[in-house]
Amino acid sequence: MVTELLSTSSADIEIAAELIKNGELVGMPTETVYGLAADALNPSAVAKVFAAKGRPADNPLIVHIADISMLTELALDIPEAAYRLAERFWPGPLTMILKKKDCIPDITSGGLDTVGIRMPDHMAARMLIEKSGLPVAAPSGNISGYPSPTKSEHMMRDMNGKIAAVIDGGECSVGVESTVISFENDNTVRILRPGGVTREDLLEVVDDVIVDPAILHELSEGQTVRSPGMKYKHYSPLAKVSIIEGEYEDFCDYVNQHKGNGVYALVFDGEESGVTVSALSYGYDDREQAHQIFSRLREFDLLGAKNVYVRAPKAEGVGLAVYNRLIRAAGFEVIQV
């Protein structure tokens, strides 16, 4: 298959929409990461997503919509709080887990009776959904387990020859996947996967927000995967990633003692000079770290890195999302210094 690189022009979005209607896959830019888009209601199209990514079939997909009116076409028993949250955060990086209607195939929902739904804050994504007239299932457009794509060239690296087209919508502004929540009751939500919408943001709309333990810990054997990004080792480059918790001086001492061929460090901006190994930085505050993290992890593979020691971000605000991605990239290996 020849993968066509499309622009965000109206004519090119029309081409992409026809591909979606015909059961093909399209790399779709969003504000979070690039998604691998397919007709969410077409089991054959969704099966192609799992095949292209090499994704486990019990890992549910998120369904993307372009208008709030599409919500009632896909979900049942929608809590009043969901509408308040949609008014506050849509379009944007928030996915809500809701009871699904029968039109959502089991392959899309990972066999669950629920489905994650969000409205992306990227004009090209919403145009694609509108012009296709279909809800679009779109997990991150990477090979399963690899760092998510935040640029069209990342998509082409992973999916060239496997899918029909990629829409080049520029670099993703957020840089990590959406926050995924479920509803405990009408005024309490549970964060299943952290993202650009933080616990503090959610507390502006609902009374209580529970942070699921699986965000920073492995699921126990047999535990149900309720959201993408919960169960499997994810976001990992070819290099071995280790998170280092501790003060900067202790981080530098540890890394400098482990220098060698193929050893790299990932640090905050301005901290590169403290280590005697080659280093990349990934921002200073949590939002910049989220914006850069996946690009940096991919860069290490281009550099031929074998071991990457990462200065741990603060696990608060959007930093919780960055820490969540890193701890899965590291296979839950955290070194205290």
Side-chain angles (χ1 to χ4, degrees):
M1 179 181 289
V2 176
T3 300
E4 187 175 3
L5 187 61
L6 302 173
S7 73
T8 56
S9 69
S10 180
D12 277 8
I13 298 293
E14 288 279 7
I15 292 170
E18 286 300 315
L19 290 168
I20 294 290
K21 287 190 281 188
N22 290 330
E24 299 296 340
L25 308 185
V26 174
M28 177 181 78
T30 78
E31 81 282 18
T32 58
V33 300
Y34 274 72
L36 190 55
D39 175 0
L41 308 183
N42 181 341
S44 297
V46 174
K48 292 179 182 179
V49 171
F50 286 93
K53 283 178 62 69
R55 183 185 177 98
D58 68 341
N59 208 358
L61 307 183
I62 291 170
V63 176
H64 295 67
I65 62 176
D67 186 88
I68 192 69
S69 64
M70 298 178 75
L71 194 59
T72 54
E73 298 171 13
L74 304 173
L76 294 165
D77 304 329
I78 302 168
E80 190 275 332
Y83 289 105
R84 300 201 312 269
L85 289 162
E87 183 178 0
R88 171 70 173 80
F89 298 112
W90 280 3
L94 179 68
T95 295
M96 295 188 278
I97 304 285
L98 300 165
K99 189 173 181 180
K100 72 171 187 176
K101 283 191 170 180
D102 290 342
C103 62
I104 302 290
D106 283 347
I107 190 172
T108 301
S109 64
L112 302 175
D113 63 357
T114 56
V115 63
I117 302 174
R118 89 173 187 100
M119 186 191 302
D121 189 17
H122 195 293
M123 187 59 69
R126 293 202 305 280
M127 283 177 61
L128 177 63
I129 297 164
E130 289 168 357
K131 288 181 181 293
S132 69
L134 295 163
V136 167
S140 55
N142 52 300
I143 296 167
S144 189
Y146 199 63
S148 300
T150 55
K151 303 175 183 179
S152 62
E153 51 261 45
H154 297 164
M155 276 290 311
M156 291 296 284
R157 176 206 175 278
D158 288 13
M159 293 295 153
N160 192 16
K162 297 180 181 180
I163 65 175
V166 171
I167 300 169
D168 184 356
E171 189 172 0
C172 300
S173 58
V174 176
V176 293
E177 297 84 353
S178 61
T179 302
V180 179
I181 61 167
S182 62
F183 292 88
E184 303 286 302
N185 57 54
D186 200 49
N187 260 309
T188 301
V189 301
R190 177 182 294 268
I191 300 177
L192 301 175
R193 181 182 73 187
V197 174
T198 66
R199 180 177 186 271
E200 294 72 23
D201 294 332
L202 293 166
L203 283 169
E204 296 175 6
V205 181
V206 296
D207 292 341
D208 193 20
V209 178
I210 300 165
V211 177
D212 196 279
I215 285 173
L216 295 179
H217 302 90
E218 290 184 88
L219 287 182
S220 57
E221 189 68 29
Q223 193 171 346
T224 301
V225 180
R226 301 173 63 199
S227 162
M230 289 186 75
K231 184 174 182 181
Y232 301 96
K233 184 178 180 181
H234 271 4
Y235 320 116
S236 184
L238 299 177
K240 175 179 169 57
V241 174
S242 300
I243 298 175
I244 310 298
E245 284 270 16
E247 297 299 323
Y248 174 60
E249 293 77 10
D250 297 321
F251 169 86
C252 294
D253 288 344
Y254 184 90
V255 172
N256 292 341
Q257 290 170 24
H258 290 79
K259 63 183 177 181
N261 185 40
V263 175
Y264 286 79
L266 184 61
V267 298
F268 305 158
D269 283 1
E271 294 184 343
E272 299 90 336
S273 61
V275 291
T276 55
V277 303
S278 296
L280 298 177
S281 66
Y282 70 122
Y284 184 77
D285 63 27
D286 55 355
R287 293 196 178 272
E288 188 58 28
Q289 288 166 355
H291 179 70
Q292 294 190 33
I293 185 61
F294 288 140
S295 282
R296 291 294 183 263
L297 291 178
R298 284 174 174 262
E299 277 185 60
F300 284 120
D301 283 347
L302 296 176
L303 292 168
K306 297 176 182 175
N307 291 281
V308 177
Y309 295 108
V310 181
R311 180 113 145 85
K314 292 182 179 178
E316 57 190 43
V318 181
L320 180 62
V322 181
Y323 200 109
N324 168 264
R325 301 327 189 259
L326 283 170
I327 202 170
R328 279 164 167 75
F332 297 91
E333 179 178 348
V334 180
I335 299 169
Q336 303 287 341
V337 295

